[in-house]
Amino acid sequence: MKTALWLYLFLFLAFFDLHAQYPILTPFAISLGAGPAFIGWMMGMYSLTHLPGNLLAGVLVDRNGSRRYIVFSLTAAGAILLLQAHAQLPWHLLMLRAASGFALAFLSPACMTLLASLSSDAETQGKYMSGHGIIHTLASVVSPAAGAYIVHKAGYSGTFSTLGWLLIATGLMALFSVPKHSPALSPVSIPQALQDKPARTAAVQAKVTKRYYLLPFFVSCSQGVLFFELPLSQGKDGMVSTGILLSLLSLGALATLSLLFLNRLSPAARISAALLGMALCFFTLAAFTSIPPGVVLFLLGAAKGVLFPAMASLFISLGSGGHLGRTFSLQSIAMSLGAFAGPVAAGQLRDYVSPYFIAFVLLMTALLLLPPRGDNKPAPYRTGLNSHAA
């Protein structure tokens, strides 16, 4: 538990730092002379450069443990923010966001792998993942409004410098607090009924697993659309309102993340319900503009609070012994591809169709592509630890 608490602290500081940038990046890019299409590419490039980092992280985290990659991601991203404080041209921002995307690609697989390795009990793993989501959400509740407020007081340069030093300090704290080696992982125990038909089981498992990776892709696409369109819809001088709306989104997620009894429900049921709820929220944003966006974003956040712990539990169950880092790496790759495609598509099609409607179509597609429940019943990911070792 001590390791989990330290990790939650570092995650809170890191997520606070990252989410504080969401309401200010678009206005900052506009102040440098960037247009909507360029902003879409800038946001997408950050996610595109996640890919090589994710590919490396999957192998390296399994081989060397999580600590060094957590420290690297935090300190490197902080240094890049210090440089971002002095950006003068749109392409400066594009290159720095690309570098930041690579540096931070190691953080999520390393943290999720370390958290998952702290227990071999499926329900406890689900609670750790919910705790991860709660910490993420707590940071994102206050950080968007805080970022906009800091810009109002200190300007863009002062804000990026402050956030950069905070990340570097967090990385140094992780250097002295995170264990040097992640707990050893052992293979998932396979029920005897599945052992009787190994060839059929392997074929079905491979087919289902590939389809599951479509989930983070489409979800990340829709999130990329939201983070692209929301600041633009509020206008150049709408940083504070954007920050407040993003905080309401996070408050909605916090409301459902706090309902830990939801971990007793199957991941498939939670994922299906959450996808439908998110899709309806995006349709409302596109078609019913008279409804206050704050209400819709709160409900959208509530659906996200159900979805992400369920997806984490699902991917833990799909990991095999010693390969959990690779599993989360592939999930991160799918999310990076989605976060690249979403804002780029929205930037190109914004003059023809509401980006929110694009997000609605993406989420309904994800819902339709969910594998039938009978195709796969994931077993809990087993580690070589007893649950009290956390």
Side-chain angles (χ1 to χ4, degrees), residues 1-11 57-58 60-71 74 106-121 124-129 132 173-185 316 322-329 381-387 389-390:
M1 180 59 70
K2 181 180 178 181
T3 298
L5 291 176
W6 275 112
L7 191 57
Y8 286 152
L9 172 63
F10 302 143
L11 287 170
L60 295 177
V61 169
D62 284 335
R63 181 184 303 169
N64 303 314
S66 298
R67 175 175 175 263
R68 66 186 66 183
Y69 303 107
I70 293 173
V71 173
L74 293 171
F106 294 83
L107 184 61
S108 181
C111 291
M112 298 289 277
T113 300
L114 184 57
L115 277 176
S117 68
L118 296 179
S119 175
S120 60
D121 178 70
T124 303
Q125 289 172 343
K127 290 180 179 178
Y128 278 135
M129 293 304 147
H132 172 273
M173 291 172 63
L175 178 64
F176 297 104
S177 304
V178 176
K180 291 185 178 180
H181 301 287
S182 299
L185 303 176
I316 288 175
H323 295 85
L324 190 57
R326 291 176 175 84
T327 300
F328 282 123
S329 175
Y381 185 84
R382 302 294 182 189
T383 73
L385 294 175
N386 294 324
S387 61

Side-chain angles (χ1 to χ4, degrees), residues 137 140-142 144-145 241-255 292-302:
T137 305
S140 60
V141 166
V142 297
S241 60
T242 300
I244 292 173
L245 289 173
L246 290 175
S247 293
L248 287 171
L249 177 77
S250 299
L251 281 173
L254 182 62
V295 174
V296 182
L297 286 172
F298 182 88
L299 295 174
L300 178 61

Side-chain angles (χ1 to χ4, degrees), residues 116-362:
S117 68
L118 296 179
S119 175
S120 60
D121 178 70
E123 185 174 346
T124 303
Q125 289 172 343
K127 290 180 179 178
Y128 278 135
M129 293 304 147
S130 293
H132 172 273
I134 290 172
I135 292 299
H136 189 168
T137 305
L138 282 172
S140 60
V141 166
V142 297
S143 56
Y149 178 79
I150 296 172
V151 168
H152 180 70
K153 294 295 184 180
Y156 293 115
S157 180
T159 301
F160 291 132
S161 295
T162 301
L163 297 176
W165 285 116
L166 178 60
L167 272 183
I168 292 173
T170 305
L172 293 176
M173 291 172 63
L175 178 64
F176 297 104
S177 304
V178 176
K180 291 185 178 180
H181 301 287
S182 299
L185 303 176
S186 61
V188 174
S189 58
I190 302 175
Q192 184 63 40
L194 297 182
Q195 294 180 21
D196 294 338
K197 298 179 180 180
R200 178 179 177 275
T201 300
V204 172
Q205 176 73 11
K207 179 181 178 181
V208 173
T209 300
K210 290 179 181 179
R211 292 180 67 178
Y212 277 133
Y213 284 114
L214 293 174
L215 289 175
F217 173 79
F218 285 113
V219 170
S220 188
C221 267
S222 67
Q223 284 197 115
V225 169
L226 177 66
F227 292 136
F228 167 83
E229 177 63 19
L230 187 61
L232 286 177
S233 66
Q234 299 301 307
K236 183 178 179 180
D237 299 323
M239 282 188 296
V240 174
S241 60
T242 300
I244 292 173
L245 289 173
L246 290 175
S247 293
L248 287 171
L249 177 77
S250 299
L251 281 173
L254 182 62
T256 48
L257 282 167
S258 301
L259 305 177
L260 297 180
F261 66 85
L262 292 176
N263 293 314
R264 300 174 185 173
L265 303 177
S266 70
R270 287 182 281 159
I271 290 171
S272 298
L275 285 175
L276 179 60
M278 291 176 67
L280 293 176
C281 287
F282 276 110
F283 185 82
T284 301
L285 288 172
F288 301 100
T289 56
S290 59
I291 297 179
V295 174
V296 182
L297 286 172
F298 182 88
L299 295 174
L300 178 61
K304 285 178 59 180
V306 174
L307 176 66
F308 281 93
M311 281 207 305
S313 297
L314 177 65
F315 282 104
I316 288 175
S317 71
L318 296 176
S320 57
H323 295 85
L324 190 57
R326 291 176 175 84
T327 300
F328 282 123
S329 175
L330 290 173
Q331 181 193 5
S332 295
I333 288 171
M335 295 193 74
S336 297
L337 286 171
F340 169 74
V344 170
Q348 300 299 319
L349 300 175
R350 191 171 187 262
D351 293 336
Y352 308 100
V353 63
S354 169
Y356 295 136
F357 186 76
I358 296 174
F360 164 75
V361 172
L362 290 170

